[in-house]
Short mmCIF file of all heavy atoms in Angstrom, two decimals:
data_model
loop_
_atom_site.label_atom_id
_atom_site.label_comp_id
_atom_site.label_asym_id
_atom_site.label_seq_id
_atom_site.Cartn_x
_atom_site.Cartn_y
_atom_site.Cartn_z
N GLN A 1346 0.81 -1.22 0.00
CA GLN A 1346 0.00 0.00 0.00
C GLN A 1346 0.85 1.27 0.00
O GLN A 1346 0.30 2.36 0.09
CB GLN A 1346 -0.95 -0.02 1.20
CG GLN A 1346 -1.97 -1.14 1.10
CD GLN A 1346 -2.57 -1.57 2.43
OE1 GLN A 1346 -2.07 -1.26 3.51
NE2 GLN A 1346 -3.66 -2.32 2.35
N GLY A 1347 2.16 1.13 -0.08
CA GLY A 1347 3.02 2.30 -0.19
C GLY A 1347 3.92 2.57 0.99
O GLY A 1347 4.70 3.51 0.98
N GLY A 1348 3.82 1.76 2.04
CA GLY A 1348 4.67 1.95 3.21
C GLY A 1348 4.27 3.19 4.00
O GLY A 1348 3.29 3.87 3.69
N PRO A 1349 5.04 3.49 5.05
CA PRO A 1349 4.74 4.68 5.86
C PRO A 1349 4.76 5.95 5.00
O PRO A 1349 5.52 6.05 4.04
CB PRO A 1349 5.86 4.71 6.89
CG PRO A 1349 6.34 3.29 6.97
CD PRO A 1349 6.19 2.74 5.58
N MET A 1350 3.91 6.90 5.38
CA MET A 1350 3.85 8.17 4.64
C MET A 1350 5.13 8.97 4.80
O MET A 1350 5.81 8.89 5.82
CB MET A 1350 2.70 9.03 5.18
CG MET A 1350 1.35 8.59 4.79
SD MET A 1350 0.13 9.79 5.42
CE MET A 1350 -1.32 9.16 4.64
N MET A 1351 5.38 9.78 3.80
CA MET A 1351 6.45 10.77 3.87
C MET A 1351 5.86 12.02 4.54
O MET A 1351 4.64 12.19 4.57
CB MET A 1351 6.96 11.08 2.46
CG MET A 1351 7.50 9.86 1.71
SD MET A 1351 8.82 9.00 2.59
CE MET A 1351 10.14 10.18 2.44
N PRO A 1352 6.71 12.92 5.07
CA PRO A 1352 6.19 14.09 5.79
C PRO A 1352 5.17 14.92 5.00
O PRO A 1352 4.16 15.34 5.56
CB PRO A 1352 7.46 14.91 6.08
CG PRO A 1352 8.53 13.87 6.19
CD PRO A 1352 8.17 12.83 5.16
N GLY A 1353 5.37 15.13 3.73
CA GLY A 1353 4.40 15.88 2.93
C GLY A 1353 3.06 15.18 2.83
O GLY A 1353 2.01 15.82 2.84
N GLU A 1354 3.11 13.85 2.75
CA GLU A 1354 1.87 13.07 2.69
C GLU A 1354 1.11 13.17 4.02
O GLU A 1354 -0.11 13.25 4.03
CB GLU A 1354 2.17 11.59 2.40
CG GLU A 1354 2.70 11.32 1.02
CD GLU A 1354 3.08 9.86 0.85
OE1 GLU A 1354 3.96 9.38 1.59
OE2 GLU A 1354 2.48 9.20 -0.02
N VAL A 1355 1.86 13.19 5.12
CA VAL A 1355 1.24 13.33 6.44
C VAL A 1355 0.47 14.64 6.51
O VAL A 1355 -0.69 14.67 6.92
CB VAL A 1355 2.31 13.26 7.57
CG1 VAL A 1355 1.75 13.73 8.90
CG2 VAL A 1355 2.88 11.85 7.68
N GLN A 1356 1.10 15.71 6.10
CA GLN A 1356 0.45 17.02 6.15
C GLN A 1356 -0.80 17.06 5.27
O GLN A 1356 -1.83 17.61 5.66
CB GLN A 1356 1.42 18.12 5.73
CG GLN A 1356 2.54 18.32 6.72
CD GLN A 1356 3.64 19.23 6.21
OE1 GLN A 1356 3.75 19.50 5.01
NE2 GLN A 1356 4.48 19.70 7.12
N GLU A 1357 -0.74 16.47 4.10
CA GLU A 1357 -1.90 16.44 3.21
C GLU A 1357 -3.03 15.61 3.80
O GLU A 1357 -4.19 15.99 3.75
CB GLU A 1357 -1.52 15.90 1.83
CG GLU A 1357 -0.85 16.91 0.93
CD GLU A 1357 -1.70 18.15 0.70
OE1 GLU A 1357 -2.87 18.03 0.30
OE2 GLU A 1357 -1.18 19.26 0.95
N PHE A 1358 -2.68 14.47 4.37
CA PHE A 1358 -3.70 13.60 4.96
C PHE A 1358 -4.42 14.30 6.11
O PHE A 1358 -5.64 14.19 6.25
CB PHE A 1358 -3.07 12.28 5.42
CG PHE A 1358 -4.06 11.29 5.95
CD1 PHE A 1358 -5.07 10.77 5.15
CD2 PHE A 1358 -3.98 10.84 7.26
CE1 PHE A 1358 -5.99 9.85 5.65
CE2 PHE A 1358 -4.88 9.92 7.76
CZ PHE A 1358 -5.89 9.42 6.95
N GLU A 1359 -3.67 15.02 6.93
CA GLU A 1359 -4.26 15.71 8.08
C GLU A 1359 -5.24 16.81 7.66
O GLU A 1359 -6.05 17.25 8.47
CB GLU A 1359 -3.17 16.28 8.97
CG GLU A 1359 -2.42 15.20 9.72
CD GLU A 1359 -1.22 15.71 10.49
OE1 GLU A 1359 -0.75 16.85 10.23
OE2 GLU A 1359 -0.74 14.97 11.37
N LYS A 1360 -5.22 17.23 6.42
CA LYS A 1360 -6.15 18.24 5.92
C LYS A 1360 -7.50 17.64 5.51
O LYS A 1360 -8.47 18.37 5.33
CB LYS A 1360 -5.55 18.96 4.71
CG LYS A 1360 -4.36 19.82 5.04
CD LYS A 1360 -3.79 20.43 3.77
CE LYS A 1360 -2.51 21.17 4.04
NZ LYS A 1360 -1.91 21.69 2.79
N HIS A 1361 -7.55 16.33 5.36
CA HIS A 1361 -8.78 15.69 4.91
C HIS A 1361 -9.85 15.79 5.99
O HIS A 1361 -9.58 15.60 7.17
CB HIS A 1361 -8.53 14.22 4.57
CG HIS A 1361 -9.61 13.62 3.74
ND1 HIS A 1361 -10.84 13.29 4.27
CD2 HIS A 1361 -9.67 13.32 2.44
CE1 HIS A 1361 -11.60 12.80 3.32
NE2 HIS A 1361 -10.92 12.81 2.19
N ARG A 1362 -11.05 16.09 5.58
CA ARG A 1362 -12.17 16.27 6.51
C ARG A 1362 -12.37 15.05 7.42
O ARG A 1362 -12.75 15.20 8.58
CB ARG A 1362 -13.44 16.54 5.71
CG ARG A 1362 -14.67 16.68 6.57
CD ARG A 1362 -15.89 17.01 5.77
NE ARG A 1362 -17.05 17.05 6.64
CZ ARG A 1362 -18.27 17.19 6.21
NH1 ARG A 1362 -18.52 17.31 4.92
NH2 ARG A 1362 -19.27 17.20 7.05
N TYR A 1363 -12.14 13.87 6.91
CA TYR A 1363 -12.42 12.66 7.67
C TYR A 1363 -11.16 11.95 8.16
O TYR A 1363 -11.22 10.77 8.49
CB TYR A 1363 -13.28 11.70 6.84
CG TYR A 1363 -14.66 12.25 6.59
CD1 TYR A 1363 -14.99 12.84 5.37
CD2 TYR A 1363 -15.64 12.20 7.57
CE1 TYR A 1363 -16.26 13.34 5.14
CE2 TYR A 1363 -16.91 12.71 7.36
CZ TYR A 1363 -17.22 13.29 6.15
OH TYR A 1363 -18.46 13.79 5.92
N PHE A 1364 -10.06 12.65 8.27
CA PHE A 1364 -8.82 11.96 8.64
C PHE A 1364 -8.89 11.41 10.07
O PHE A 1364 -8.43 10.30 10.33
CB PHE A 1364 -7.58 12.83 8.38
CG PHE A 1364 -6.90 13.37 9.59
CD1 PHE A 1364 -5.93 12.64 10.25
CD2 PHE A 1364 -7.21 14.63 10.09
CE1 PHE A 1364 -5.28 13.14 11.36
CE2 PHE A 1364 -6.57 15.14 11.19
CZ PHE A 1364 -5.61 14.39 11.84
N ARG A 1365 -9.46 12.16 11.01
CA ARG A 1365 -9.55 11.66 12.39
C ARG A 1365 -10.41 10.41 12.48
O ARG A 1365 -10.09 9.47 13.20
CB ARG A 1365 -10.09 12.76 13.31
CG ARG A 1365 -9.07 13.82 13.64
CD ARG A 1365 -9.61 14.85 14.62
NE ARG A 1365 -8.60 15.82 14.99
CZ ARG A 1365 -8.25 16.86 14.25
NH1 ARG A 1365 -8.84 17.08 13.09
NH2 ARG A 1365 -7.30 17.69 14.66
N GLU A 1366 -11.53 10.43 11.76
CA GLU A 1366 -12.41 9.26 11.75
C GLU A 1366 -11.71 8.06 11.13
O GLU A 1366 -11.85 6.93 11.60
CB GLU A 1366 -13.70 9.57 10.98
CG GLU A 1366 -14.61 10.56 11.68
CD GLU A 1366 -14.32 12.03 11.38
OE1 GLU A 1366 -13.22 12.34 10.85
OE2 GLU A 1366 -15.18 12.87 11.70
N ALA A 1367 -10.94 8.31 10.08
CA ALA A 1367 -10.20 7.21 9.43
C ALA A 1367 -9.17 6.62 10.38
O ALA A 1367 -8.99 5.39 10.42
CB ALA A 1367 -9.54 7.72 8.15
N VAL A 1368 -8.49 7.46 11.13
CA VAL A 1368 -7.49 6.97 12.09
C VAL A 1368 -8.17 6.14 13.18
O VAL A 1368 -7.68 5.06 13.55
CB VAL A 1368 -6.68 8.14 12.68
CG1 VAL A 1368 -5.84 7.69 13.87
CG2 VAL A 1368 -5.79 8.76 11.60
N GLN A 1369 -9.30 6.61 13.68
CA GLN A 1369 -10.02 5.85 14.70
C GLN A 1369 -10.49 4.50 14.13
O GLN A 1369 -10.36 3.47 14.77
CB GLN A 1369 -11.22 6.63 15.23
CG GLN A 1369 -11.95 5.89 16.35
CD GLN A 1369 -11.06 5.55 17.51
OE1 GLN A 1369 -10.53 6.45 18.17
NE2 GLN A 1369 -10.85 4.28 17.78
N LEU A 1370 -11.03 4.53 12.92
CA LEU A 1370 -11.46 3.30 12.26
C LEU A 1370 -10.29 2.34 12.11
O LEU A 1370 -10.42 1.13 12.35
CB LEU A 1370 -12.09 3.62 10.91
CG LEU A 1370 -12.52 2.45 10.04
CD1 LEU A 1370 -13.49 1.53 10.78
CD2 LEU A 1370 -13.14 2.96 8.76
N ARG A 1371 -9.15 2.86 11.75
CA ARG A 1371 -7.95 2.02 11.60
C ARG A 1371 -7.59 1.33 12.90
O ARG A 1371 -7.22 0.15 12.93
CB ARG A 1371 -6.78 2.89 11.13
CG ARG A 1371 -5.51 2.12 10.92
CD ARG A 1371 -5.58 1.40 9.62
NE ARG A 1371 -5.31 -0.01 9.79
CZ ARG A 1371 -5.47 -0.90 8.83
NH1 ARG A 1371 -5.88 -0.54 7.65
NH2 ARG A 1371 -5.20 -2.15 9.03
N ARG A 1372 -7.70 2.06 13.99
CA ARG A 1372 -7.35 1.47 15.29
C ARG A 1372 -8.33 0.34 15.65
O ARG A 1372 -7.92 -0.69 16.19
CB ARG A 1372 -7.29 2.54 16.36
CG ARG A 1372 -6.11 3.50 16.14
CD ARG A 1372 -5.83 4.35 17.35
NE ARG A 1372 -4.80 5.33 17.14
CZ ARG A 1372 -3.49 5.11 17.25
NH1 ARG A 1372 -3.04 3.90 17.51
NH2 ARG A 1372 -2.63 6.10 17.07
#
C-alpha cells in the first residue's frame, strides 16, 4: 500500500475532513 507516509503526505492527509475518523477506524 506504499509503506509509511512521507512528511508531505502526512500534512496532506491531516487536511482531509475525515482523517480523524479514518485513524479511529484504523485502530
Side-chain angles (χ1 to χ4, degrees):
Q1346 295 158 345
M1350 286 184 173
M1351 301 304 289
E1354 292 176 299
V1355 166
Q1356 292 171 343
E1357 280 302 308
F1358 184 62
E1359 289 173 344
K1360 293 177 186 176
H1361 197 285
R1362 178 177 177 187
Y1363 293 101
F1364 108 87
R1365 284 183 177 80
E1366 290 87 345
V1368 168
Q1369 183 57 63
L1370 176 56
R1371 181 78 234 172
R1372 292 194 185 276

